[in-house]
Structures are given as C-alpha cells and as structure tokens.
Amino acid sequence: MNTMNGETDDQQRMRFQVELEFVQCLANPNYLNFLAQRGYFKDPTFINYLKYLLYWKEPDYAKYLKYPMCLYFLDLLQHEHFRRELANSQCTKFIDDQQILLWQHYTRRRTRLLQTAHESVQQHPQQNNGIAQPKVL
C-alpha cells in the first residue's frame, strides 16, 4: 500500500530503522569525529538532514532510542561551532572522557539507590516497595 509521501509501508519501516540506527550513532563522539574529519559537517545537505532528524526528540519516537545521549549531541550538531570543533581529536577525546565519567557516575548512583532500596525492604519486611501492607488481624 502506498502512503501519502509515496513510500510503501516496507520503505517507511526501512527508513525508520535506518534513521533510528543513524541517530543513535550520534551518541558516539568518535563517530562524530569520523564524520567531521571527512567533511560531512560542511555539507549543507547533511546539515539539513541533521535538522530533519530532530523529530526523534518527540516522545513518540524518542521511546525507541536505546542511547538517549544521541539527542543531546543531535542538538549540539545544530550549531556550526560544535560541528567544526568535532574535527579536533583532542576535543572528541575530551567529550568521550566526559561521557564515560557521566555513565560511571550514573551507574554508581543507580547501584547505591538500588542497594538502599533493597536494604530498606530487608529492614521493613511488612512493607512492599515503601507501601505499608495492611496488618492481618
């Protein structure tokens, strides 16, 4: 069946998958450096494509993203100065290091929160996830 834009359902599905994969690749600073060093960020057509991809920020699409950091970089890629700096390997290394530190902090914090919640449940078995259970008479 043809859709309004002339694509079949299969073509739309394929475009969705390709764009999803590409947007998620934007979460990788080394990939961004690769694109910058090869001149993609100087190509007006490619820059327009990056602008078009902003639709991934809408909740109906963002829910499919496994690497939400890609949306942060997609926003930054809308700025010429950021695109230009990505060609600098030291800049890319700094971004990569900061991203790793963020993930380490997030992982440690999440582990602590889960451990605290687990300990709380162990100390108060009459409660279930912080919700008091009715006492049996």
Side-chain angles (χ1 to χ4, degrees), residues 8-136:
T8 65
D9 289 343
D10 285 342
Q11 288 170 326
Q12 278 191 327
R13 215 174 351 270
M14 178 61 76
R15 182 168 51 88
F16 176 85
Q17 291 172 351
V18 168
E19 290 175 0
L20 172 63
E21 185 173 333
F22 176 73
V23 166
Q24 293 196 111
C25 287
L26 300 179
N28 182 341
N30 295 305
Y31 181 63
L32 297 178
N33 176 256
F34 170 86
L35 293 174
Q37 288 185 348
R38 280 150 188 82
Y40 283 92
F41 296 141
K42 294 177 182 174
D43 179 353
T45 303
F46 191 77
I47 293 166
N48 284 336
Y49 182 62
L50 293 172
K51 189 177 294 185
Y52 156 77
L53 291 173
L54 287 170
Y55 77 85
W56 283 98
K57 293 176 65 176
E58 296 174 20
D60 286 346
Y61 294 96
K63 67 184 178 185
Y64 295 103
L65 297 172
K66 188 173 182 178
Y67 307 105
M69 182 64 82
C70 67
L71 295 178
Y72 178 71
F73 287 119
L74 182 60
D75 275 341
L76 290 173
L77 286 167
Q78 304 305 312
H79 303 281
E80 193 267 333
H81 178 74
F82 181 73
R83 293 191 304 265
R84 190 174 53 245
E85 289 298 319
L86 285 170
N88 178 341
S89 296
Q90 288 179 330
C91 177
T92 304
K93 172 85 170 102
F94 176 78
I95 293 169
D96 193 37
D97 290 345
Q98 294 304 302
Q99 192 174 29
I100 290 169
L101 290 172
L102 176 70
W103 279 107
Q104 288 174 340
H105 172 75
Y106 170 80
T107 303
R108 281 193 300 270
R109 183 172 175 173
R110 181 182 166 114
T111 301
R112 267 186 272 138
L113 288 172
L114 291 173
Q115 185 176 15
T116 302
H118 178 72
E119 290 169 357
S120 177
V121 169
Q122 295 297 326
Q123 292 173 358
H124 307 288
Q126 73 278 7
Q127 294 180 346
N128 184 8
N129 292 334
I131 300 171
Q133 299 297 308
K135 293 182 180 179
V136 178

